Amino acid sequence: MLELPPLPSSLHAWHERLEAAAAPCLLFSARDAEDPDMPGCRYGGHPLVPPGTPWPRSPRGPLVFVGQLDFAELAACRGDALPHLPRDGVLALFYDAQEQRWGYNPKDSEYWKLVWTPHRDEAVPLAPPKELEDAGLAFDLPLRLEPRLGVCLPDPRDRRAPLPADAWGQAQADDYAVLRERLTGGEHAHQVEGHPWWIQNDARLEAQLVTHGLYCGGSRGYDSPEARRLEPGASSWRLLWQIGSDDQTGFTWGDAGNLYLLIREQDLRACRFDRAWLGLQCR
């Protein structure tokens, strides 16, 4: 059980539930860097990928390199926490940062890509294509992401929320929101694992349905008999990476939203990143 900071009086009655719901996570602070080929976790620069990897493309052209997770670096930071994460390897995320697909259509998988290198020492930098350079989307100057181990609590709309939605009083809800923000820095935190900060609904159900071929752009996709059959599997999905809109990074996802890279626990353990799903939420 993780230890939380002192709670406001309105939450004292729920102390045990909150501690049981708390989860470890990795949080990032960003700083400017100059080496586009540097190892480590970062946004921008040149992605580190297996030798011979072509630059990922969507039907609209080359995808933008958003950033990479260096799991060897994260392993040194997290100790024995978050045991599902690999202890080596680099995961590079590419996305159509102009089209910005939402992730509720199975065809949206064509507009983002993950490239996995199992051993960091085998990864090599990949220079962006001229199309991205000419469009000003190469992001050659990286932002270094410095990780630290933190603790987080679930969103009240989350499937793992400590209380039912109708159990919160206004004072409790306000104090809980402040507590969550103190722990992670707010809804636009740059975070690996732990509880996401949803801007809309809990997107685990969407990931479950879309990866089984259901279109979730309207209520019909959620209300079908097939959706109801698949719904229990939503609980197996977890956050891998949350990427927030941020003036420092220059990222704006929709109207000041977040990207959520989600994956099933068994696929994360097996490093089956090809089975992950990317979604966008904003207000």
Side-chain angles (χ1 to χ4, degrees):
M1 183 176 295
L2 298 169
E3 185 174 341
L4 295 171
L7 299 178
S9 58
S10 68
L11 298 177
H12 283 174
W14 306 112
H15 184 269
E16 290 186 3
R17 290 196 186 193
L18 297 184
E19 285 204 334
C25 64
L26 291 162
L27 300 167
F28 293 114
S29 56
R31 63 174 175 81
D32 292 336
E34 296 183 357
D35 181 2
D37 301 336
M38 64 184 293
C41 299
R42 56 178 162 85
Y43 293 138
H46 297 164
L48 297 180
V49 298
T53 300
W55 191 275
R57 301 178 67 89
S58 79
R60 299 180 64 251
L63 295 170
V64 170
F65 171 58
V66 175
Q68 67 186 29
L69 296 178
D70 183 328
F71 288 103
E73 178 181 48
L74 296 180
C77 170
R78 65 184 172 86
D80 294 329
L82 306 171
H84 308 98
L85 294 177
R87 303 198 73 85
D88 193 10
V90 179
L91 186 68
L93 171 62
F94 299 80
Y95 182 57
D96 188 332
Q98 293 182 302
E99 183 77 3
Q100 295 201 7
R101 294 295 181 103
W102 295 91
Y104 53 68
N105 189 332
K107 294 182 179 179
D108 289 349
S109 62
E110 300 177 4
Y111 293 86
W112 62 275
K113 186 173 179 61
L114 292 170
V115 177
W116 168 238
T117 311
H119 303 289
R120 182 177 66 180
D121 292 345
E122 298 174 358
V124 296
L126 180 63
K130 189 174 185 300
E131 291 169 82
L132 287 182
E133 295 276 8
D134 292 345
L137 296 171
F139 302 125
D140 283 333
L141 292 179
L143 277 175
R144 173 86 169 88
L145 295 176
E146 297 179 336
R148 64 177 176 84
L149 187 62
V151 61
C152 57
L153 287 164
D155 192 293
R157 295 160 290 189
D158 196 285
R159 301 173 71 86
R160 299 166 182 165
L163 295 174
D166 59 0
W168 295 95
Q170 189 59 55
Q172 289 176 314
D174 291 345
D175 287 341
Y176 186 68
V178 171
L179 175 61
R180 293 185 65 229
E181 186 165 356
R182 284 175 55 201
L183 291 173
T184 65
E187 67 180 3
H188 296 310
H190 305 281
Q191 176 180 327
V192 165
E193 282 250 55
H195 298 297
W197 194 302
W198 305 120
I199 295 177
Q200 297 174 3
N201 57 304
D202 185 330
R204 293 185 183 93
L205 178 57
E206 180 179 275
Q208 169 72 352
L209 301 184
V210 173
T211 55
H212 283 84
L214 298 187
Y215 176 82
C216 293
S219 61
R220 183 177 300 177
Y222 293 94
D223 295 338
S224 68
E226 179 68 1
R228 289 192 290 273
R229 183 185 70 82
L230 292 168
E231 182 173 358
S235 60
S236 67
W237 288 82
R238 60 192 301 122
L239 176 70
L240 176 56
W241 194 3
Q242 176 179 299
I243 303 171
S245 295
D246 188 329
D247 290 340
Q248 184 181 10
T249 63
F251 294 145
T252 302
W253 310 120
D255 185 9
N258 290 336
L259 291 182
Y260 304 93
L261 184 61
L262 304 173
I263 192 169
R264 296 180 185 90
E265 181 175 318
Q266 64 268 32
D267 293 330
L268 178 57
R269 288 182 180 275
C271 296
R272 290 298 306 268
F273 297 109
D274 57 311
R275 296 179 177 174
W277 189 253
L278 186 72
L280 184 157
Q281 291 185 359
C282 67
R283 300 197 183 281

